[in-house]
Amino acid sequence: MWAALQACFRFQEGKPKEDAKKFAMLTLGTTFRNFRHTLHKDYAKKGLSPKIKFGKIPDAMWEEFKLMKEMAEAKALSEKRTEKAQKAAENPHHLGAGGYDGKIPHWRREEEERRKASGKYWCLARRPRYREGKVVFENPTTAEIYERLAHVVDAEKQGLFHPDREKDQLTTAIGTAEHSGRVRGV
């Protein structure tokens, strides 16, 4: 195409032909893409033959063009399905390469720390004092609950105590249910 264009145009002396060639090739590429789009939209998709308007297209080339466009459409459909599947997974996990197996021990440690923290915070809210390396409370019943809590924690470590939702370390140490009865008013 460039050779045919050079035969049709005369270039000024001293002007670089490379700029003209670059512009011509860009224009030719755009025009060719538009032509292929028109062939696909107006003829291939509708099952018509372009022989009426574009008689110079050989039959073998037309069949190859239709086949390439069908493959391109199939690829686009496949990509659309992949995108749809990815969108369907709106709640992906963020577990990394180890998956659940790598996170379960970590989660168990965190859960144990939270269980321990409920008793720890209860004790801290009662203003513990530290004398000679021991925890001392002003109220003697708080000291008794603290001691029972320490025993419950030790029993859990030994596997003798298994905390449950309503019967965790703190409620066992205190000796009362967390929510007894029902609430009649707020």
Side-chain angles (χ1 to χ4, degrees):
M1 291 300 295
W2 176 241
L5 280 173
Q6 278 183 313
C8 296
F9 292 97
R10 210 173 329 150
F11 297 97
Q12 291 180 352
E13 295 290 328
K15 294 281 183 179
K17 287 185 180 180
E18 289 304 313
D19 291 342
K21 181 178 180 180
K22 184 177 178 182
F23 179 76
M25 297 309 276
L26 286 171
T27 305
L28 285 168
T30 304
T31 305
F32 186 60
R33 273 193 306 279
N34 291 343
F35 174 69
R36 287 170 51 99
H37 174 72
T38 302
L39 282 178
H40 178 66
K41 181 182 73 166
D42 296 341
Y43 296 96
K45 269 190 162 180
K46 295 177 181 176
L48 301 174
S49 174
K51 288 274 189 188
I52 300 164
K53 191 169 183 181
F54 309 104
K56 295 182 179 181
I57 299 175
D59 291 333
M61 191 178 284
W62 175 243
E63 292 302 321
E64 183 182 347
F65 175 79
K66 288 194 306 186
L67 183 64
M68 284 181 7
K69 283 297 182 178
E70 287 172 11
M71 289 189 321
E73 282 181 342
K75 183 179 178 185
L77 183 62
S78 173
E79 288 173 357
K80 190 182 257 187
R81 284 182 184 150
T82 303
E83 183 180 312
K84 197 173 188 179
Q86 288 173 347
K87 189 173 183 179
E90 289 185 5
N91 297 311
H93 66 78
H94 302 282
L95 300 176
Y100 282 97
D101 292 338
K103 286 290 185 176
I104 288 174
H106 176 73
W107 290 335
R108 284 187 178 146
R109 282 192 302 275
E110 283 182 349
E111 186 177 1
E112 184 179 330
E113 291 298 321
R114 277 194 297 273
R115 276 197 306 262
K116 289 178 184 174
S118 69
K120 179 175 71 173
Y121 293 141
W122 185 89
C123 292
L124 289 173
R126 270 96 190 138
R127 295 186 185 153
R129 305 283 182 243
Y130 301 96
R131 292 188 192 128
E132 300 171 8
K134 290 187 177 184
V135 178
V136 180
F137 293 92
E138 289 179 20
N139 188 337
T141 57
T142 305
E144 288 175 25
I145 292 172
Y146 178 77
E147 291 298 322
R148 284 191 296 226
L149 186 60
H151 291 299
V152 170
V153 169
D154 289 339
E156 185 180 4
K157 285 181 182 176
Q158 295 170 5
L160 302 173
F161 176 78
H162 300 288
D164 193 16
R165 217 172 78 178
E166 286 84 21
K167 189 178 179 182
D168 64 354
Q169 296 168 337
L170 187 58
T171 56
T172 303
I174 294 173
T176 60
E178 189 172 348
H179 299 287
S180 59
R182 67 177 200 209
V183 177
R184 293 193 178 263
V186 179

